[in-house]
Amino acid sequence: MKKHTIVALVQDRPGVLSRVVGLIRRRGFNIESLAVGHSETPGISRMTIVVEWEDVEQVVKQLYRLIEVLKVSDVTNDPTVEREMALMKLHAPPAKRPEIVALTEVFDAKIVDVGANTMVIEMTGSPSKVQNFIDVIRPYGIREMMRTGRIAMVRGARGHTAEEYVESANGHAERVPAMN
Amino acid sequence: MSEKRTGAQVMCEALIRNGVEVMFGIPGGAIMPFYYAMWEYRDKLRHVLCRHEQGAGHAAEGYARATGRLGVCIGTSGPGATNLVTAIADAMMDSTPILAITGQVGSHVLGKDAFQETDITGITMPITKHNYLVKRAEDLPYVFEEAIYIATTGRPGPVLIDVTKDAQQATIVPNWDIKLDLPGYKPNYRPNLKQVREAIKLILSAKKPLIIAGHGIIMSGAVEELRAFAERTRIPVITTLHGIGAFPEDHPLSIGMPGMHGWVHVNRAIQECDVLFNIGGRFDDRVTGKASTFAPNAKVIHVDIDPSEIGKNVKVTVPIVADARLALQAFLDEFPPDREAFAELHGHASDWMEHIREMQAKHQPKQQYLNRSDTANMSLPPHDVYAALTKALNSRGNYRVVTDVGQHQMWAAQLIDWYRPRTHITSGGAGTMGFAVPAALGVAIAHPNDTVWAICGDGGFQMTNQEMATIVQEGIKNVKIAVINNGYLGMVRQWQELFENKRYSGTPLSGPDFARLAEAYYWKGITVEHTGQVEAAIEEAYATDGPVLIDFRVEREVNVFPMVPQNKSIGEMILESPHQS
């Protein structure tokens, strides 16, 4: 099974995250990463879902069944910018700090907190770069770590603005009455 | 309209505004304000008190399936809501438009494990088309409007609204100036003409074309269009279990039901056909058998209003996302672009039909199964019941038949003659035992001038038969129940006989004396033990001005044939028990 990156535009209503996750869970797939946040338009959120799927087209269609889902794209094969953020609280006694600072600079990460024996480092980058940094820094002793999950955006003019969907909300589909 | 209203009054008014006339439910603590308000509106909103919320849900389904209108069911919070779950799941599988209204504990105790609290929106998320938790009375007009719109448009389905008790009690000035805001919900009704033309090209090139008519024909009201299209093209028509009634079975182009218990000639025709035109059917696995071996030579045209159905189970050559009626209208408008090809299609279609009829004559399904030699020594073979019932239905007309789930359901689909839409109502996708009696209640209320026959097995009947009391309380007289009583969970027993070496594990089933049980419910009860008594019993049921139950104590171990074993190709049908000779 291939890993797929799905980007979904959804209406910001209660339960929408649950519905999306539930639909994927129903098919027995494990979500590897999920990130949700506001889009450029109020009331609309963007989700990035990374999951191993065999039949991604079918799941994309199923997601469209959800009332709040506006747009779903499988961007796996598209040129995308992908980012992830990790916060790491390191075991950092004074003697080790120069090495850690040096590595942090090499990876373009940021030191955001320094305590008596700890440092918190913020690392943002492509998922593989974040992973490389974690691998390098791990021997110093990671006390706590949090990762945001991946967010992805298609490069260039392609992609979907939330605006198009807000605009089209005027009125609703004609109702065709059943007759028998 | 600027008068103050309670949330509960708003709920009643929202239903009335949307044309709701009848609701099925049971009150309880968290839904009491709604019932309190209902009293004021009792002239416009009829409430039917059921005996179990599952019954209320199935009754709402029966009403919806018999009319095409919204069915409404009500339960209180907690167990009242969870009892609705089976019916909601059933409605989801069969695309039935129902609205389930549940009470919820007060919003101040929501999520605190309050008395009779259940997260019903969480529970029903995967089995509703959409659902809502309403905590503010101000939201009720919009939510009801949107919920009913979603339930009844596009591919219909169940919608649940869970309303906290305080939202029902709060007093507000309702805002009925509603503009729906559903940017993510735009069902596509009109077909893409390019695809229609492509499909027509495919049909014109066919030598062995077939139409499969599914539930979508009935839901969209496309019966006339289907008939016109079939007659113009002369393509043979298959009707699925839910497509029964979409095409009259006495029509020369009708060839019958496909699938697990479909006819031999129908399944063989599917395996041979070169173009398969499925309108409003979803290629259920009970239709396709092993999907990878289904219709191996066919190019498939699939019309469905739900894009996620297309390509789900069967590979499709021409997908058409549309309402079945509008799609067929487009096909009629576009046909025929090429007179020569059209004439050729006619020629092929009649040769093909001849071939199908030859296959049918070889197996003579209906006659063969109605006059089986192996039933000669039986005092009451089930088929004799269906023969007599079919005769009575045909001679009197005005019938609706609701079937439960199991052997009796398949016999009904196979052996009764079906002509009109919404006369055959059954639980297909979910296969819910206990569906028939409460669904018949809903159908009888929708069609008081028709005779509503509920055909049940003795297993499913014992799951919801308490709704017989509801039928009496409501003064309903046009319901007759036929229990095909073989003392087994018959369909499972059949599988055990055929595939598990007759290990009848958990299938022998005793029951009470059903006729006496009926009498206890103030019904007329009749027991039939011999073929000779069948006709008189049915006559008596018709002659009785009130509900009647007939307990047909049929031969215990008769099987439904033909049968495609699970996970086999529909070309591999079993025609008789290997154990009998």
Side-chain angles (χ1 to χ4, degrees), chain B residues 358-411:
Chain B
E358 272 165 25
M359 289 197 283
Q360 182 176 18
K362 214 165 127 196
H363 299 288
Q364 287 187 329
K366 208 174 253 191
Q367 288 70 25
Q368 180 177 318
Y369 285 93
L370 283 172
N371 308 308
R372 289 164 54 161
S373 52
D374 62 338
T375 60
N377 299 322
M378 297 177 185
S379 60
L380 182 54
H383 299 73
D384 288 358
V385 175
Y386 288 95
L389 195 56
T390 301
K391 208 171 126 194
L393 296 176
N394 284 345
S395 68
R396 300 186 192 249
N398 286 351
Y399 61 84
R400 309 269 164 178
V401 178
V402 185
T403 64
D404 215 82
V405 171
Q407 289 184 306
H408 73 276
Q409 174 194 31
M410 291 299 115
W411 283 322

Side-chain angles (χ1 to χ4, degrees), chain A residues 34-53:
Chain A
L34 173 73
V36 195
H38 293 302
S39 72
E40 71 280 8
T41 304
I44 293 180
S45 295
R46 249 198 189 82
M47 292 184 180
T48 308
I49 309 162
V50 182
V51 68
E52 279 186 8
W53 271 333

Side-chain angles (χ1 to χ4, degrees), chain B residues 171-191:
Chain B
T171 315
I172 57 153
V173 177
N175 176 12
W176 294 108
D177 182 20
I178 296 161
K179 194 174 147 207
L180 291 184
D181 177 23
L182 285 163
Y185 179 70
K186 291 202 187 84
N188 189 47
Y189 291 102
R190 298 198 181 274

